[in-house]
Each structure stands twice: as structure tokens, then as C-alpha cells.
Amino acid sequence: LDHLRTEHMDPHYESLLRRQAGHCSPVKSSPVRNSPRKSLLLASPHKSPARRLDFSSRGSDTPSGDRYIPSRATSNLDAAFGLQNTPSKRSLSNEENVNDGKNNYEQLLNNELLRFSPAKKRPVSCAAPESPRGFQFQASPKRGSPVARRYSHSASPLSAASHELLQSPRRAPRKIPTVPYKILDAPELQDDFYLNLLDWSSTNVLAVGLGPTVYLWNASTGQVAKLCDLNSDNHQDHVTSVSWNEQGNALAIGTHGGAVQIWDPEERKNVRTLTGHLQRVGSLAWNGDGLTSGSRDHNIWHRDLRSPGVVRHWEAHTQEVCGIRWSPDHQYLASGGNDNKLMIWSLSSDR
């Protein structure tokens, strides 16, 4: 440092230069206003070496700023928007709150930024994007709207439609019951998924086949009535399928012996018995005044109850017919069998 020394160099300034050259921590000195030492320091013709910052005492390699700037990279703004101003007594799950808040948040952005109407969900105009709301002229709201009257002189940047959206009542969550409405005892209900032992009529009456007996449960009154018992002194049989007609005034019962019985629920009597199947009848389907039956003997019979005889007979399945259903126009029949085949039949032809 001898080559830097001049006749007019301040001794304090010279000591600072020597300490920095010896890798010593600089000594802070409180400057005095209008002091001759500071004036000599600024008037020095030589540049002082740059000060080296030491952050080892802070425990970090990078200096921290003088302001705290929060990071929103991991923040869920949709969830925060949905959970704001939410009463503590609301029994809503977190997922429902997030979904509800997300929908409101999107509608609010569409209304404020994209000029979308929250109710109609369509743009107000197809013109080019306009300037922000704070720098454009807007017509005064209609006097008849209570929301418009309230926020006509408000200092809030949101429009009256957005305020109405925020203050609109939330949609009540739909409650899904976790327990059954009613439990009925069903003894002797056969454990065979090939059978169709339940059917609900258009008059709100449930028919259940339990062993050899058919019971009727009226859902309107809660009364249970016994319709029939297939066992007799000379014949033993049990129910394999039940099916109501469209009017709910006739019940078809398929039996294990291959017969199909038509019962009148009001009179509690058997009005007709249809034969033809050699094995149990596990599926039934009504088509107006016609009744179709599928059996384990691979056959499908369709009969018109207004006249005797068989109207249609289809045989293509190689195993038991498990289910049959008519189309809404009553022209096509779908049949499914245990042979893993689904077949479509036409009433106007034998195919």
C-alpha cells in the first residue's frame, strides 16, 4: 500500500485499506455530518476496493430480501374462494366445498374479465376485448334492481352481477342414505342368480317368490298379503320367476315344473295356466296382452292371452335362457342365455 500513500491521505482511511488487505472484517464507523474526515474520504483520487459481503453468520449462502413475498405456487385459490365466509355449522365435505367454490370462482372471472353472464353463461357481445373495468364508461344500472341500487355508488371494483353471484344462496348438498329404508324378512329366498323372484308393479306393489309361496307387499300401506302357495297334497313345486303386466292387474308366475300361471291379485285366484316348457321357467316378460317365457329347456315361447295357442317360438340358445326383455316399441325381443350369447328377435318374423 505504499504506492497508494500520498501526502494528504487520511490516517483513518489508510488504516481501513490495510485491514481489508489483511482479510480482516471491516470496521463500521458512524459518519459525522460535515466532518473533514468524510470529505477527505470522498475526495480521495483512488478507488477503495469493493466490500465483500459475508453471509456465513446467517446460515444461508444466498442473501434474503428486505421484503416478504409469499409464494402462491402451492396455494389452492379455488378452495380458498369456496371456503371463505362459510358458516362453521355447514356439514359439507372438503371436496364439495372445492367444487362449489371452483364453479363460483369461474363464473366470477367470466363475469368480470370475459364479460360472460353468470346466469346465461354466454358472452354479452362478440366485439374485441375492451379495456379494464376501471378505465371504461359503464351505463348506470337499472333502478328496478335491488342489487343495482345497493351497489350503484359502491367503491368495490366488482359489478352488481358479481355481488349478486357472491350473495346467492349455496346449493344444498344432496343427502344419500347409507341405511335401507325398510327391511323385510324373506325366508326361503332361493340363492340362485338365474331366477327372477322380485318384481315391482305400476301400482306400487312388490311381488316376492319365497319357496312355493308368493307374497305381495304394498309400499303405500305397508301391508303384506299372501297370494298363492304352489304346494298341494298331490303336487310339490316352487316359484322360479314373477312378472307384473303393465297395468299391474295381473301377475305371471313361473314354476320349477315348467308351467306359467296367471294370477289376479284382487281376486287372489289363478285365472290361467300355460304349459309347454319341459323345465323350470326362469324369465318372464310382458308385451301388452302377450307374455313371453324363457326356460332351462333352451326354448322361448310367446303367447297372446286373448287367444289360445302359441304366437311365436324361438329356439337358438344351447343353455338355459336367463333373461328376456322387450323393446319400448314392442317389436323386438332381447334374450340372454347361459351360453354367453345375446340374441335379438323380431316379433314380425321367426328370426
Side-chain angles (χ1 to χ4, degrees), residues 69-324:
I69 301 177
S71 175
R72 293 185 173 88
T74 59
S75 302
N76 191 345
L77 299 180
D78 294 342
F81 187 84
L83 294 175
Q84 68 175 0
N85 299 328
T86 303
S88 59
K89 296 182 179 181
R90 284 186 77 90
S91 59
L92 293 177
S93 62
N94 294 333
E95 183 177 358
E96 292 176 346
N97 283 333
V98 170
N99 294 336
D100 193 11
K102 183 177 181 180
N103 295 334
N104 293 339
Y105 184 66
E106 291 178 354
Q107 292 183 11
L108 184 62
L109 289 181
N110 291 336
N111 183 41
E112 293 297 320
L113 302 180
L114 305 179
R115 304 287 303 206
F116 270 63
S117 174
K120 300 181 180 179
K121 295 184 179 181
R122 62 179 179 86
V124 179
S125 63
C126 299
E130 301 176 358
S131 59
R133 286 187 178 273
F135 302 95
Q136 68 179 1
F137 173 78
Q138 292 183 352
S140 59
K142 296 181 180 181
R143 297 182 178 180
S145 175
V147 179
R149 290 196 305 268
R150 175 182 295 182
Y151 297 99
S152 59
H153 302 286
S154 175
S156 174
L158 298 181
S159 62
S162 298
H163 281 287
E164 185 176 2
L165 174 64
L166 293 176
Q167 294 183 359
S168 61
R170 294 181 179 270
R171 177 178 56 86
R174 183 170 62 93
K175 296 182 179 180
I176 301 178
T178 58
V179 295
Y181 164 73
K182 195 175 187 62
I183 299 178
L184 303 176
D185 294 332
E188 299 185 33
L189 184 64
Q190 299 187 48
D191 185 11
D192 192 343
F193 54 84
Y194 289 110
L195 306 182
N196 296 274
L197 301 175
L198 297 173
D199 195 27
W200 210 305
S201 71
S202 59
T203 58
N204 206 16
V205 177
L206 177 64
V208 184
L210 302 177
T213 310
V214 176
Y215 289 93
L216 303 179
W217 177 68
N218 193 321
S220 301
T221 61
Q223 297 180 354
V224 179
K226 179 180 177 181
L227 178 63
C228 64
D229 191 346
L230 302 182
N231 286 340
S232 61
D233 296 338
N234 301 325
H235 183 73
Q236 299 291 325
D237 206 345
H238 60 265
V239 181
T240 55
S241 59
V242 292
S243 179
W244 289 97
N245 65 345
E246 297 178 358
Q247 294 76 20
N249 55 8
L251 178 66
I253 302 174
T255 65
H256 187 271
V260 178
Q261 300 181 5
I262 310 299
W263 282 76
D264 185 353
E266 297 294 335
E267 301 293 336
R268 309 288 176 86
K269 66 177 182 179
N270 182 8
V271 296
R272 189 171 180 179
T273 301
L274 306 175
T275 59
H277 290 290
L278 302 178
Q279 299 185 37
R280 70 180 187 183
V281 179
S283 55
L284 297 169
W286 288 85
N287 186 1
D289 293 325
L291 178 62
T292 309
S293 58
S295 174
R296 182 182 277 182
D297 60 4
H298 316 163
N299 294 314
I300 300 176
W301 299 88
H302 178 68
R303 300 177 176 90
D304 191 345
L305 301 183
R306 296 170 298 181
S307 62
V310 178
V311 178
R312 287 289 182 269
H313 174 224
W314 297 292
E315 183 179 5
H317 289 283
T318 58
Q319 295 189 30
E320 181 178 5
V321 179
C322 304
I324 52 178

Side-chain angles (χ1 to χ4, degrees), residues 298 300 314-319 321 323-326 332-346 351:
H298 316 163
I300 300 176
W314 297 292
E315 183 179 5
H317 289 283
T318 58
Q319 295 189 30
V321 179
I324 52 178
R325 282 296 181 271
W326 281 98
Y332 297 96
L333 175 70
S335 63
N338 198 25
D339 53 0
N340 299 328
K341 291 183 179 180
L342 176 62
M343 300 184 181
I344 308 297
W345 309 94
S346 177
R351 301 183 60 184

